[in-house]
Amino acid sequence: MASILSKKQKQKHKSTKLSDLKTLGHDLLSSRAHVNNLPKLLSFVSPTSPPQFVLESLLSLQAFFTPLLPDLPSSSSKPSASNASQDDPDFIYRTWLRSKFDELVESLIQVLLSPQSDETLKEVVLDTIMEFVKSGNGGRFHSAIYHRLLRSIVHSTTPANFLLDLLASKYFKYIDVRYFTYISLEKLSRVLDAKDISDDRNLNTDCNDGGHPSESMDLLIHKIHYIMSHIPSLEASVEKTDYDMWSGSGDDEDISGNLKAENKQHMTEKHNDKVLTAASIAKKMKLKFTKAWLSFLRLPLPLYVYKEVLATLHQAVIPYLSNPVLLCDFLTRSYDIGGVISVMALSGLFILMTQYGLEYPNFYEKLYALLVPSIFMAKHRSKFFQLVDACLKSPLLPAYLAAAFAKKLSRLSISVPPSGALVIIALVHNLLRRHPSINCLVNRGGGGATVKDDPEPEQRVADGVNDTATASADKSVKKPGIDPFDNEQSDPIKSNAMRSSLWEIDTLRHHYCPAVSRFVLSLENDLTVRAKTTEISVGDFSSGSYATIFGEQMRRRIKLAPLAYYKVPPTSLFSESESEFLGWTFKCEDSKRKNDINDENGKIDQDCNHNSVKRQRVECS
């Protein structure tokens, strides 16, 4: 039956002309007697209609509904129980108009999200919906329509990046739009969170379903984060009152559309009591911002969204929360995951610890475990190394902990690229300067291990000497080449770093990269004298790579460069300065060489003549 009706509608659309739509709209606006033209015009607002038909119908419908919206009953309000109000023709008429207006909004959202609609048509439709949001609630912000719009965008299966960019560029500059956006996103996140819990409970019973709920959930979460990341942050100044408002006023109680007012008069009084101005919205914005982000972070974030959130959390979220410590559970849980997630969570966790008094007992143990060779090739290594330098700056840091980090970094300098070695040298330099108690790692010679040193154990056994008697004396003998540092130990206390030395840094003097071998000479200064030395900025080296080192070498000005060719063509194999070698002499003159050659040629001629005479004698005989 529905297919038959759709075919009839398509035939009507083909037979209808644009002039007929103009006539229908003109008659609808001119007299109430032509109100039956309203369903006809609504039938042309669909994704299958031609764009010019949609625009013409939309102009007439918008002009018809805009002055009537303040007098229409709410779509969620319950009808009065009195028979007089139910039999009132005017009430029935206004209720019918309200249903048609809701139908129009639904049709506009379908056109907005349809892949068949072009971008120009989508922009006009979005502007129309936002005009209804502006004036559809008696001049106040109609949050129910706006929430309906955002919910449809989030739950749509088609990509909506163009639509979201258009919404952000044109309407997110208004403070009331941002305010109700946070309210809508909080409710959508809470609904998705409850849905995710119910999906987990019914996972075994719904395993035969052919859909992929996890993929659809990831898409919904991505759209929510896309919207939240494009909302401009509220200025820190709360005294500013010249915020731009899309509507005159509004309220935050009817966002879901489920108002519990028994009649329109009571609802109007409630609106008048709770009018939102720009100043009141600015004061409440931080609370709505906090609720929206906390609800969103409870969702099962996909990995790519997880990384995007952690990358911007310390700059775009934490400074604007009403209580940033509420993020401690999320950040500590992320920091315990390990790998790249821990590296990216370090920024936010460091801010909470240093600025908001968060206590995290195992912070340095987790940070010590993140020092692996792969971190020197990570994408966010620059920020990570700067945070490591900042975390190790406190003068209250225990000596064993500073020594463990210095030794761990020194051991990594052997296996990391040259750019990583430069960062390690800068970090170790700052550690030695800040913590003079670990300078023993530089001054200690050898490996620092005390082990039993017995060069002739077999002779002792043959002579019958008791080894236990001399064991105590041998324990104090140091065996060179043994490093007591345990590189595999994850606990810095048990790593034996204080008994070791920074011999790895000394090997960097002979590094194949000239930049590393030159930079390591900065550690030869007496770092205990703070007046004569300064800390090295780790940020200058934290983002280095092979390309940056090569570019720096290419930009250097060299006074005398080695050449692969001679400025003057050589006349001999060896020059006069190189003509004498140790144990070898080359004093053969040209005249002597010629005489020797002539004498040899004369002897050869005499031998040849003598042999020819002998041949003649033999032939004659």
Side-chain angles (χ1 to χ4, degrees):
M1 188 68 181
S3 62
I4 296 175
L5 291 176
S6 62
K7 289 181 180 179
K8 290 182 178 180
Q9 289 178 357
K10 290 181 180 179
Q11 292 177 359
K12 289 182 179 180
H13 289 178
K14 290 182 180 179
S15 60
T16 305
K17 298 180 181 179
L18 190 61
S19 58
D20 298 336
L21 290 179
K22 293 182 179 180
T23 303
L24 291 174
H26 183 269
D27 295 340
L28 177 65
L29 296 175
S30 61
S31 174
R32 186 173 178 177
H34 299 282
V35 74
N36 290 329
N37 293 345
L38 181 60
K40 297 179 182 179
L41 292 173
L42 282 174
S43 64
F44 287 92
V45 183
S46 66
T48 58
S49 300
Q52 60 271 20
F53 284 17
V54 176
L55 291 176
E56 186 62 36
S57 301
L58 185 58
L59 290 175
S60 301
L61 292 172
Q62 183 180 2
F64 175 77
F65 277 112
T66 299
L68 298 177
L69 284 178
D71 299 329
L72 296 182
S74 175
S75 58
S76 59
S77 62
K78 297 180 180 179
S80 176
S82 62
N83 295 327
S85 61
Q86 291 181 359
D87 297 337
D88 185 12
D90 186 60
F91 178 78
I92 296 174
Y93 174 70
R94 287 187 286 108
T95 304
W96 179 78
L97 289 180
R98 183 70 199 193
S99 64
K100 293 302 177 183
F101 176 75
D102 294 339
E103 184 180 342
L104 172 62
V105 174
E106 184 65 27
S107 299
L108 291 177
I109 293 176
Q110 292 179 2
V111 174
L112 196 64
L113 299 177
S114 175
Q116 302 175 2
S117 305
D118 57 358
E119 296 182 354
T120 305
L121 180 61
K122 288 183 178 180
E123 185 174 359
V124 174
V125 171
L126 179 62
D127 294 340
T128 303
I129 295 177
M130 293 304 296
E131 286 294 332
F132 288 150
V133 170
K134 181 178 182 179
S135 58
N137 195 19
R140 303 177 182 89
F141 195 96
H142 202 303
S143 55
I145 298 178
Y146 187 66
H147 177 72
R148 191 175 178 181
L149 171 64
L150 290 182
R151 183 181 59 190
S152 301
I153 294 175
V154 170
H155 288 273
S156 65
T157 57
T158 58
N161 291 341
F162 169 76
L163 189 59
L164 294 177
D165 293 338
L166 187 63
L167 183 65
S169 61
K170 297 187 68 173
Y171 298 103
F172 280 174
K173 61 184 178 180
Y174 300 105
I175 189 172
D176 53 347
V177 176
R178 284 183 272 167
Y179 178 79
F180 288 102
T181 301
Y182 285 131
I183 297 177
S184 296
L185 294 180
E186 178 201 353
K187 293 186 174 292
L188 291 174
S189 299
R190 284 197 278 108
V191 171
L192 289 179
D193 190 16
K195 181 181 178 182
D196 181 66
I197 295 175
S198 62
D199 290 342
D200 292 340
R201 292 176 179 176
N202 301 327
L203 183 61
N204 295 328
T205 58
D206 298 339
C207 60
N208 295 327
D209 191 5
H212 299 279
S214 60
E215 296 181 1
S216 60
M217 178 66 74
D218 293 349
L219 182 60
L220 297 180
I221 294 174
H222 169 70
K223 289 183 179 180
I224 293 178
H225 177 256
Y226 191 87
I227 297 174
M228 297 181 71
S229 60
H230 282 72
I231 300 177
S233 59
L234 184 65
E235 291 81 358
S237 176
V238 297
E239 298 178 356
K240 183 178 178 180
T241 58
D242 56 344
Y243 295 106
D244 295 331
M245 295 277 290
W246 175 243
S247 61
S249 60
D251 70 281
D252 58 343
E253 301 293 335
D254 61 339
I255 181 63
S256 62
N258 298 323
L259 296 176
K260 297 182 180 180
E262 294 181 358
N263 50 46
K264 184 178 179 180
Q265 182 179 0
H266 177 69
M267 184 175 61
T268 305
E269 293 176 357
K270 187 177 181 180
H271 284 309
N272 294 332
D273 293 337
K274 296 185 177 182
V275 175
L276 290 179
T277 61
S280 61
I281 288 179
K283 293 179 181 180
K284 295 181 179 180
M285 179 72 78
K286 183 171 287 190
L287 180 61
K288 301 301 180 182
F289 178 86
T290 303
K291 289 183 177 181
W293 270 103
L294 291 180
S295 300
F296 172 73
L297 294 177
R298 294 190 187 100
L299 298 176
L301 304 180
L303 183 59
Y304 67 96
V305 176
Y306 208 136
K307 292 181 179 179
E308 291 178 1
V309 169
L310 291 176
T312 58
L313 196 68
H314 62 285
Q315 294 180 344
V317 179
I318 292 180
Y320 306 104
L321 292 176
S322 59
N323 186 11
V325 182
L326 295 174
L327 289 178
C328 63
D329 292 337
F330 173 77
L331 289 174
T332 52
R333 187 169 60 250
S334 303
Y335 192 62
D336 293 338
I337 292 176
V340 181
I341 299 296
S342 297
V343 173
M344 301 179 70
L346 182 61
S347 299
L349 195 60
F350 178 75
I351 292 177
L352 294 185
M353 293 176 60
T354 56
Q355 299 181 15
Y356 299 98
L358 177 66
E359 295 183 2
Y360 188 66
N362 299 326
F363 175 77
Y364 284 101
E365 286 77 1
K366 298 290 184 181
L367 183 62
Y368 184 80
L370 292 177
L371 296 177
V372 291
S374 59
I375 200 65
F376 291 86
M377 303 298 293
K379 181 179 180 181
H380 302 279
R381 63 184 183 274
S382 176
K383 184 65 177 177
F384 172 75
F385 290 127
Q386 294 180 38
L387 288 174
V388 169
D389 184 62
C391 293
L392 301 176
K393 187 177 291 186
S394 174
L396 302 178
L397 198 68
Y400 75 89
L401 202 56
F405 275 93
K407 182 61 182 177
K408 183 72 172 182
L409 291 168
S410 301
R411 183 62 59 89
L412 288 172
S413 64
I414 302 176
S415 57
V416 299
S419 57
L422 294 174
V423 180
I424 289 175
I425 294 172
L427 289 172
V428 172
H429 177 278
N430 293 341
L431 280 172
L432 293 174
R433 185 179 181 275
R434 296 166 185 165
H435 308 281
S437 58
I438 66 171
N439 277 273
C440 58
L441 301 178
V442 179
N443 300 326
R444 179 180 294 132
T450 58
V451 295
K452 181 179 178 180
D453 188 8
D454 194 355
E456 297 177 354
E458 296 181 358
Q459 184 66 26
R460 288 178 176 270
V461 174
D463 296 340
V465 178
N466 190 4
D467 291 339
T468 59
T470 59
S472 59
D474 293 334
K475 286 183 179 179
S476 61
V477 179
K478 290 185 178 181
K479 187 174 182 179
I482 302 299
D483 192 347
F485 175 72
D486 189 0
N487 191 39
E488 303 298 330
Q489 180 60 249
S490 59
D491 190 356
I493 301 178
K494 302 177 182 180
S495 62
N496 295 328
M498 288 297 291
R499 297 171 56 195
S500 181
S501 64
L502 301 182
W503 59 266
E504 299 91 349
I505 298 296
D506 186 65
T507 61
L508 297 181
R509 299 178 182 220
H510 310 286
H511 200 276
Y512 69 90
C513 181
V516 176
S517 59
R518 287 194 304 266
F519 189 44
V520 78
L521 297 178
S522 61
L523 296 177
E524 294 184 355
N525 301 325
D526 187 5
L527 300 179
T528 58
V529 183
R530 290 173 170 263
K532 297 182 180 180
T533 58
T534 57
E535 289 190 1
I536 297 177
S537 177
V538 178
D540 298 338
F541 305 94
S542 56
S543 59
S545 61
Y546 284 105
T548 57
I549 295 177
F550 181 77
E552 183 180 354
Q553 292 294 328
M554 292 294 295
R555 290 190 296 268
R556 289 188 61 195
R557 292 184 178 182
I558 302 177
K559 296 181 179 179
L560 183 61
L563 301 177
Y565 54 87
Y566 293 96
K567 295 181 179 179
V568 180
T571 56
S572 61
L573 181 61
F574 300 104
S575 61
E576 295 181 357
S577 60
E578 298 176 351
S579 61
E580 296 184 1
F581 298 88
L582 185 61
W584 295 82
T585 57
F586 300 93
K587 297 182 179 180
C588 184
E589 299 178 357
D590 293 341
S591 59
K592 184 177 181 181
R593 186 182 303 172
K594 291 180 180 180
N595 295 332
D596 294 340
I597 293 174
N598 293 333
D599 294 341
E600 291 178 359
N601 293 335
K603 292 180 179 179
I604 293 173
D605 294 339
Q606 291 178 0
D607 293 339
C608 292
N609 295 333
H610 181 68
N611 292 333
S612 62
V613 173
K614 287 184 177 180
R615 289 174 185 172
Q616 292 178 359
R617 291 179 181 177
V618 172
E619 292 176 357
C620 294
S621 61

